[in-house]
Amino acid sequence: MSQDNARPPVAHDFYEILRTHGITRIFGNPGSNELTMLKHLPDDIEYVLALQEGAALAMAEGYAYASGTVGFVNLHSGSGAGNAMGNLTNSAAAHAPLVVLAGQQSRKYMPYGAMLASNDPVKLYDPLVKWSGEPLRPEDTAVLTSKAILLAATAPTGPVFLSVPLDDWEREGDPETVAHLIDRRVMGAPVIDTDSLEVIAAALAGATNPVMVLGPGVDNDRGWQASVRLADSREMPVWIAPSPSRAPFPTRHGRFQGLLPTGLGAIAEKLAGHDLVLTLGAAVFRYHQFIDGPLIPDGAQLVGVTSDPDEATRAGVGTILVGDPSDALVRLAEVFATDDPAILPARTVEPATAGDAPYTAEAILDAVDRSKPVDARVVLEWTSADAMWPRLSFERSGSYFFPASGGLGWGLPAAIGLAMGSPERPVVALIGDGAMQYTPAALWTAARYKVPVTFVVCQNREYGALQRFARHMEVPDAPYLDIPDLDPTAIATGYGVPAVALDSLHALEEFVRSAATAEGPRLAVIPQRSAR
């Protein structure tokens, strides 16, 4: 084919697919295998550079949640993709709609085991992704990119992985195929059929003392509104399922009970006396501490809805329906709608005693709650997650984010992605001084792109969560869980983020209150009492 009749390169086709799906930002940390892709980067798609791969992935996840698009991550071959795998465990558990694109060595060099070749990249991310692929031909890249984006966004949403050899990007593309891909859509949210929903409705109608347990799958406007209506109409107490990554119910509502524990016997104890346990958008259940006992109380029936067939089939008890849990909530709320629902007074919490520095987690949380903007998104990666639920007020969906599998290093960069995805909502990130050390380089990205995140580092100079587990597991106290001599303000300043050490809860309130008008990242450190 003559030069005049040459087709646009594969890279051109690739970026057309991204535009089609509203993807305007790529988060990444590239290497030599990715430079041929970046050579063709168009002006209308921004490449957001992160200094570490796990940070790039968490930023893309936060951005996806806030923007309502698929998060797109670009990593360097097997080594870069491997570095991001720790945070990928959080993304997989959270059903994050992500595409992870890694570069591959050139096709010509692959048989020789060339440096920076990714060994069997299609298997690299198993079993943490919904699908992984590598094009058989260069011109297949657009087809697989389209498939990856659609799969990531299709229920149950989740991360996917794509590997592309470096010499594919400049080969001739396939504009005829791309024309069809641009028009292609996959539409439809799987919902519970009417007969199956009637199984839940009948169980709920026949129950004398039902209880509702909600999970991250209903943290959206429809889920919040419907769960409140249903709880009030059936006068049900509401718990949050164990180990939640989101807040699916208003925390000051009169029927809110708090967070279920993470041991099976402890959960059964909390739910004792209820004859029906209705779960929506939650795995049944995500355990952590080993506390033996029954799965649910004797005499109780469990019915639930999840969008994830794997969550449904691994549940140890009950009848689980697969479909959109928010849709099920809306339809159940209509079934049990009443003109005179029983509205309880708002839930109140006794303020913690402030005392002197270092402060308890409860006192710090009270100060944050008094001062955070009402529409703030709170990202938490801190020892005191359990203490948070009685104390922070969440009045709308999309207000709370936590690493879904508990892996550290997610919260700080995820907060940056959230702020980039919806800058109209302030972001407050509560990060432990130990958790901060996993991805501190993300601060540089916040500084470079002037992302308005308010970071609060709670400094207790130890891995407090491990200290608590050590007591539970009767492990002798030892200094290997201490992290003295860290200066988070110096670290932040070195990455270009203004930082200050606070000496009072009043100063903390002033700092958090100004999150509403922040024009760039800022960080404060507050001394926290030891978990010992």
Side-chain angles (χ1 to χ4, degrees):
M1 183 178 292
S2 69
Q3 187 66 33
D4 291 340
N5 295 324
R7 296 178 174 184
V10 165
H12 173 273
D13 295 350
F14 166 77
Y15 288 118
E16 279 295 303
I17 299 300
L18 265 58
R19 288 190 190 94
T20 297
H21 293 281
I23 295 172
T24 59
R25 279 192 171 116
I26 299 173
F27 295 82
N29 184 271
S32 55
N33 290 2
E34 293 72 41
L35 291 179
T36 43
M37 182 194 90
L38 295 179
K39 176 181 177 180
H40 299 274
L41 183 72
D43 292 339
D44 60 336
I45 294 180
E46 181 182 23
Y47 195 97
V48 179
L49 181 64
L51 301 185
Q52 197 268 349
E53 294 87 351
L57 190 135
M59 288 177 199
E61 182 176 341
Y63 182 82
Y65 294 144
S67 66
T69 61
V70 171
F72 209 95
V73 193
N74 173 228
L75 304 177
H76 179 40
S77 191
S79 57
N83 284 344
M85 199 167 291
N87 268 336
L88 185 67
T89 64
N90 293 314
S91 306
H95 302 299
L98 288 177
V99 175
V100 181
L101 172 69
Q104 173 63 293
Q105 244 309 350
S106 71
R107 291 178 181 268
K108 185 173 183 178
Y109 277 7
M110 283 302 297
Y112 305 109
M115 190 173 185
L116 298 176
S118 183
N119 184 27
D120 205 349
V122 174
K123 291 183 179 178
L124 179 64
Y125 267 18
D126 284 343
L128 295 174
V129 294
K130 293 176 64 176
W131 170 84
S132 61
E134 187 174 65
L136 291 175
R137 306 174 303 158
E139 57 267 38
D140 293 336
T141 297
V143 177
L144 295 190
T145 301
S146 176
K147 176 178 180 176
I149 295 170
L150 292 170
L151 267 176
T154 303
T157 59
V160 299
F161 178 77
L162 180 61
S163 169
V164 179
L166 69 87
D167 48 345
D168 282 11
W169 298 105
E170 299 196 302
R171 301 287 182 88
E172 287 188 353
D174 185 354
E176 292 82 5
T177 298
V178 171
H180 292 295
L181 294 175
I182 289 173
D183 293 332
R184 189 167 69 125
R185 297 290 184 273
V186 174
M187 302 180 69
V191 297
I192 305 300
D193 66 84
T194 300
D195 290 345
S196 297
L197 193 73
E198 286 178 355
V199 172
I200 299 180
L204 193 52
T208 59
N209 189 18
V211 60
M212 188 156 57
V213 179
L214 301 178
V218 293
D219 180 27
N220 51 65
D221 290 344
R222 296 171 68 221
W224 270 57
Q225 295 165 11
S227 62
V228 169
R229 290 177 59 202
L230 184 59
D232 285 337
S233 62
R234 283 295 283 121
E235 301 183 25
M236 284 188 291
V238 177
W239 288 92
I240 306 299
S243 306
S245 59
R246 307 285 283 270
F249 195 79
T251 54
R252 289 291 182 262
H253 191 278
R255 301 193 185 279
F256 181 60
Q257 303 298 303
L259 177 65
L260 284 175
T262 59
L264 63 124
I267 292 174
E269 183 178 334
K270 290 289 187 183
L271 300 178
H274 295 288
D275 57 345
L276 177 69
V277 180
L278 172 62
T279 71
L280 294 142
V284 180
F285 287 107
R286 297 196 69 206
Y287 305 111
H288 191 186
Q289 289 182 315
F290 182 77
I291 302 173
D292 208 355
L295 292 169
I296 58 173
D298 291 341
Q301 175 189 7
L302 186 145
V303 294
V305 179
T306 175
S307 65
D308 185 354
D310 181 66
E311 284 184 355
T313 54
R314 73 171 183 253
V317 64
T319 300
I320 311 295
L321 286 67
V322 178
D324 182 347
S326 295
D327 175 79
L329 256 176
V330 170
R331 292 157 66 192
L332 286 170
E334 287 296 325
V335 170
F336 293 96
T338 175
D339 294 331
D340 187 26
I343 308 297
L344 295 182
R347 185 170 165 273
T348 60
V349 178
E350 185 71 23
T353 302
D356 297 324
Y359 304 104
T360 65
E362 290 77 9
I364 293 171
L365 288 164
D366 284 351
V368 170
D369 193 57
R370 287 191 295 267
S371 53
K372 71 177 176 66
V374 68
D375 61 341
R377 299 188 193 271
V378 174
V379 180
L380 189 139
E381 191 171 286
W382 177 29
T383 299
S384 304
D386 291 351
M388 180 216 76
W389 287 96
R391 301 198 170 273
L392 288 190
S393 305
F394 297 131
E395 300 178 12
R396 60 180 291 191
S397 66
S399 292
Y400 172 72
F401 299 85
F402 183 82
S405 72
L408 297 182
W410 180 90
L412 195 153
I416 297 169
L418 282 162
M420 295 183 81
S422 59
E424 72 280 0
R425 290 188 67 176
V427 175
V428 178
L430 304 179
I431 308 293
D433 55 340
M436 177 189 175
Q437 309 314 315
Y438 283 72
T439 47
L443 292 168
W444 177 86
T445 302
R448 176 178 179 178
Y449 297 93
K450 298 181 173 58
V451 185
V453 181
T454 295
F455 297 101
V456 176
V457 176
C458 306
Q459 187 171 29
N460 59 10
R461 304 179 188 278
E462 64 184 6
Y463 282 114
L466 284 177
Q467 293 285 9
R468 290 174 180 168
F469 264 94
R471 290 198 299 272
H472 174 74
M473 301 172 73
E474 299 180 352
V475 177
D477 190 22
Y480 51 71
L481 298 181
D482 294 338
I483 48 173
D485 306 322
L486 285 175
D487 186 353
T489 60
I491 294 170
T493 302
Y495 282 114
V497 174
V500 61
L502 303 177
D503 58 4
S504 71
L505 293 176
H506 174 72
L508 174 61
E509 289 185 40
E510 290 297 312
F511 184 79
V512 172
R513 190 171 290 115
S514 60
T517 56
E519 296 182 352
R522 34 215 294 270
L523 182 144
V525 179
I526 189 76
Q528 181 191 353
R529 196 166 298 173
S530 169
R532 287 187 175 90

